[in-house]
Amino acid sequence: MAGRDETPGTTGSRGSRLLGCVALASLGVLGVLAFVLTGPDVRIHPTTGEEFGQFDAVRMLYLHVPMAILMYASFLLCAVASVGVLVKRTPWWDVMAHSTAEVGTVLCGLVLVTGSIWGRPVWNTWWEWGDVRLMTTLVLFLLFAGYLALRGTTSDPRRQERQAAVVALVAVLDIPLVNRSVEWWENRTLHQRSTLEELKIEDLTLFTLMFGFLTFGLVVWWLTLQRFRVGWLERAAIDHAVGSAIAERRSETSAVELDAAIGVSDDPAGEESP
Amino acid sequence: MTHLGYLVAGWGISLVVLGGYALRLVRRGRSLSAEVPEDRRRWLESPGTDRD
């Protein structure tokens, strides 16, 4: 088990360090696959004979699409953990919900940015306000940004956990809209339908995309693990600080009570009393 | 290679953001570890064993 051999002073364990190394190596291999071994997307128009396609901009999709899928996965995990918060009411579920929401929001921001950069050469626009998928993704980002902001507002942690869980469960309802928007509002989006579902890509392009899913799966796994440990430590640090303060206060109180019980003066050494 | 600037920007921003976030998590974890007794750094405890 990865958590049993941790080095004191860090959030790393042998397992998580191995996972991080594998994720980094996979990123390197993905870079080679995406930039060296795969070719650009160039097709020949059947009637005019002209070249068309995404050309080298397709290499952005080996990054953008896996991040989008892992973003869905993170937010769905957050929803599951939020149900756990409401039902079980244990800190494990809350830390998990917070961790997955934060990692998912980072991914969502990157999905929006990389999508915009990819859209400029392919669609000739950075952003299209009428595009349903873009707008629903932006709404998803804002909802989870609001979730993270909520985590820092209320002073009552139990209330904050429950409120955040409800917000997460409402926010996650946007995911089907994001994912299915290209089918449900086909004429209101620049996005194409899923190339994976319709198997429009094959061979090395498909392999590279699949390898991208694996790579970003490892990266997100490592990030979530680290974020979970940080969240757990934050709670432990607060509990420890509160526990120490209570113990200190109790020892002070009991010393005074003990002195009073045995009739010792407040001023045994003849010092001035207030 | 076509669209090289876009590719560098997209991949570069993503890797820098993810790398920066990872570094922030590791640093935050290290500073928190120093504040917590060693017996409470058991990351994979069973759910709910530590409340109240």
Side-chain angles (χ1 to χ4, degrees):
Chain A
M1 179 80 71
R4 297 295 179 222
D5 53 352
E6 67 273 5
T7 305
T10 75
T11 47
S13 60
R14 192 184 300 166
S16 69
R17 277 191 282 273
L18 181 65
L19 178 63
C21 289
V22 173
L24 272 178
S26 293
L27 269 175
V29 174
L30 180 64
V32 172
L33 281 166
F35 285 94
V36 180
L37 298 180
T38 56
D41 172 41
V42 182
R43 284 161 278 170
I44 307 293
H45 197 278
T47 52
T48 63
E50 288 179 5
E51 287 186 345
F52 73 103
Q54 299 180 29
F55 299 97
D56 284 303
V58 74
R59 301 179 200 279
M60 189 81 82
L61 297 185
Y62 303 130
L63 175 89
H64 173 78
V65 177
M67 285 199 299
I69 300 299
L70 269 299
M71 169 194 80
Y72 293 150
S74 292
F75 287 149
L76 287 173
L77 262 177
C78 176
V80 171
S82 296
V83 172
V85 170
L86 295 174
V87 175
K88 300 275 187 184
R89 301 191 174 192
T90 58
W92 193 93
W93 290 108
D94 185 58
V95 175
M96 178 57 80
H98 195 175
S99 307
T100 47
E102 190 174 291
V103 172
T105 307
V106 170
L107 289 174
C108 193
L110 287 175
V111 166
L112 286 168
V113 170
T114 54
S116 178
I117 294 171
W118 173 83
R120 182 68 184 87
V122 176
W123 295 336
N124 205 28
T125 180
W126 294 103
W127 185 264
E128 184 62 47
W129 289 104
D131 187 300
V132 185
R133 175 166 271 182
L134 292 184
M135 291 311 296
T136 48
T137 309
L138 179 64
V139 167
L140 188 65
F141 176 77
L142 294 174
L143 284 169
F144 274 95
Y147 171 95
L148 294 177
L150 181 66
R151 304 293 315 211
T153 54
T154 322
S155 56
D156 179 357
R158 304 287 159 79
R159 195 170 162 212
Q160 186 195 86
E161 288 171 11
R162 289 193 297 273
Q163 285 177 342
V166 172
V167 169
L169 289 172
V170 172
V172 87
L173 295 176
D174 190 32
I175 288 181
L177 298 181
V178 177
N179 186 254
R180 295 288 102 187
S181 56
V182 290
E183 278 92 28
W184 293 347
W185 296 283
E186 200 172 0
N187 55 352
R188 290 185 60 192
T189 180
L190 294 169
H191 281 82
Q192 61 195 30
R193 281 166 165 264
S194 171
T195 48
L196 281 176
E197 285 177 13
E198 296 176 9
L199 287 174
K200 284 183 179 171
I201 54 174
E202 54 191 12
D203 300 337
L204 196 56
T205 303
L206 181 62
F207 175 78
T208 306
L209 194 56
M210 292 297 139
F211 194 81
F213 289 127
L214 175 72
T215 299
F216 278 92
L218 293 172
V219 170
V220 169
W221 184 7
W222 186 88
L223 286 173
T224 306
L225 187 65
Q226 293 296 323
R227 181 62 187 83
F228 180 89
R229 290 174 177 180
V230 166
W232 194 259
L233 279 174
E234 281 172 344
R235 280 177 170 267
I238 291 169
D239 289 351
H240 179 64
V242 171
S244 300
I246 290 172
E248 195 178 326
R249 182 71 182 145
R250 274 188 183 151
S251 65
E252 283 172 8
T253 309
S254 53
V256 170
E257 282 172 356
L258 185 64
D259 288 347
I262 60 176
V264 176
S265 162
D266 283 348
D267 190 16
E271 292 170 5
E272 282 186 19
S273 297
Chain B
M1 186 177 285
T2 61
H3 312 122
L4 187 61
Y6 296 106
L7 290 171
V8 170
W11 277 78
I13 289 170
S14 299
L15 295 180
V16 166
V17 168
L18 289 174
Y21 180 57
L23 197 64
R24 183 175 159 270
L25 287 179
V26 170
R27 283 186 173 173
R28 177 91 178 117
R30 281 187 180 168
S31 70
L32 281 167
S33 284
E35 298 174 26
V36 178
E38 201 169 328
D39 62 327
R40 301 208 64 190
R41 293 186 209 148
R42 297 173 68 83
W43 326 117
L44 303 180
E45 278 184 353
S46 301
T49 54
D50 205 44
R51 169 154 281 193
D52 299 330

